[in-house]
Amino acid sequence: MFAAAEVASEIHLGDYLPANLAEIRRWLDRAPGAHDWRPFVRHTLRCEGNRCPTAEQVAAREDLTRTKITALLRVDGRDPQPVEREYATVVSAYCADSATADRAAWQSFMRHITGLVSPGGLFVTAALRRCRGYTVAGKAFAGADVDGHDLRAVLRPGFDMPDGSIEVVPVARRAPHGYAAIVLCRARRRLRPAPARARAESRFPQPV
């Protein structure tokens, strides 16, 4: 979200666990002991071309991001309508693939999440490639064992995915944790076709 802050009109953040949303709220409120996201902000600025971000530049991006986050939402990917609205851009990274080891459940999660993208809107996702399970601090978590072909298959019915929209990035140093590559993907939802009656009426001249 630190990368999106400069271009987004507003940002809504969703999570399944209330405790995670509470932690984000602590950061938004600048509460003592809130998680320190400055290393992530600094990395974001470096990716944008700022080779040596200053403390002031990092703080400025944090402040901008805070102003853009206007809603914290509890989201359950099992719900066919996780949020009662659509968005021009939806970012869901390492969510559906890390929530289950069942391929059918992953496909269902993806359909529900991508259903939040408005016609013509952008969907951006990232997943652990061919990961059947991964560890963090010694704790094991599920992995859906997906790759770029799986992403293309689940998105193809409703999204345009030109060449280069899926990229595999090796991260060999993470192999001991259960994965050696990640998959990055961007896709654009197709515009909904006009109703048949409306298309037929448009062929006739309209009264002035």
Side-chain angles (χ1 to χ4, degrees):
M1 293 305 98
F2 299 121
E6 285 200 321
V7 296
S9 57
E10 60 179 299
I11 297 172
H12 294 182
L13 296 181
D15 199 281
Y16 176 71
L17 295 176
N20 290 347
L21 296 174
E23 185 59 41
I24 297 173
R25 172 56 61 188
R26 286 168 53 80
W27 178 80
L28 291 173
D29 294 341
R30 306 173 192 269
H35 187 76
D36 182 7
W37 290 101
R38 286 175 295 181
F40 291 83
V41 181
R42 188 171 292 108
H43 179 69
T44 299
L45 295 176
R46 286 172 178 159
C47 290
E48 294 175 354
N50 185 341
R51 298 181 63 181
C52 190
T54 66
E56 291 76 14
Q57 290 169 328
V58 170
R61 181 60 63 90
E62 282 192 293
D63 291 342
L64 176 64
T65 305
R66 286 187 175 97
T67 66
K68 294 297 182 72
I69 297 174
T70 59
L72 300 180
L73 308 172
R74 187 177 184 275
V75 178
D76 186 345
R78 297 170 297 184
D79 189 332
Q81 190 175 13
V83 180
E84 294 184 356
R85 62 161 294 172
E86 294 179 341
Y87 292 91
T89 302
V90 172
V91 180
S92 179
Y94 311 111
C95 294
D97 67 300
S98 298
T100 180
D102 181 80
R103 182 70 60 84
W106 171 79
Q107 292 171 335
S108 177
F109 292 159
M110 290 295 291
R111 286 193 297 269
H112 299 165
I113 294 169
T114 57
L116 301 176
V117 184
S118 59
L122 179 66
F123 178 62
V124 178
T125 189
L128 305 180
R129 182 178 183 273
R130 287 295 171 213
C131 173
R132 298 184 178 182
Y134 65 99
T135 60
V136 176
K139 295 183 178 180
F141 296 87
D145 191 25
V146 298
D147 63 12
H149 299 290
D150 299 305
L151 278 173
R152 187 174 295 278
V154 79
L155 293 173
R156 185 183 295 116
F159 288 81
D160 290 322
M161 304 179 65
D163 292 343
S165 59
I166 294 180
E167 180 182 359
V168 175
V169 180
V171 286
R173 67 185 182 281
R174 307 300 298 176
H177 296 276
Y179 59 98
I182 60 174
V183 183
L184 308 179
C185 174
R186 67 183 186 278
R188 182 78 59 179
R189 178 171 286 283
R190 298 188 191 98
L191 296 174
R192 294 185 183 129
R197 182 178 177 183
R199 290 199 301 269
E201 291 176 344
S202 68
R203 299 186 189 127
F204 298 94
Q206 299 298 313
V208 177

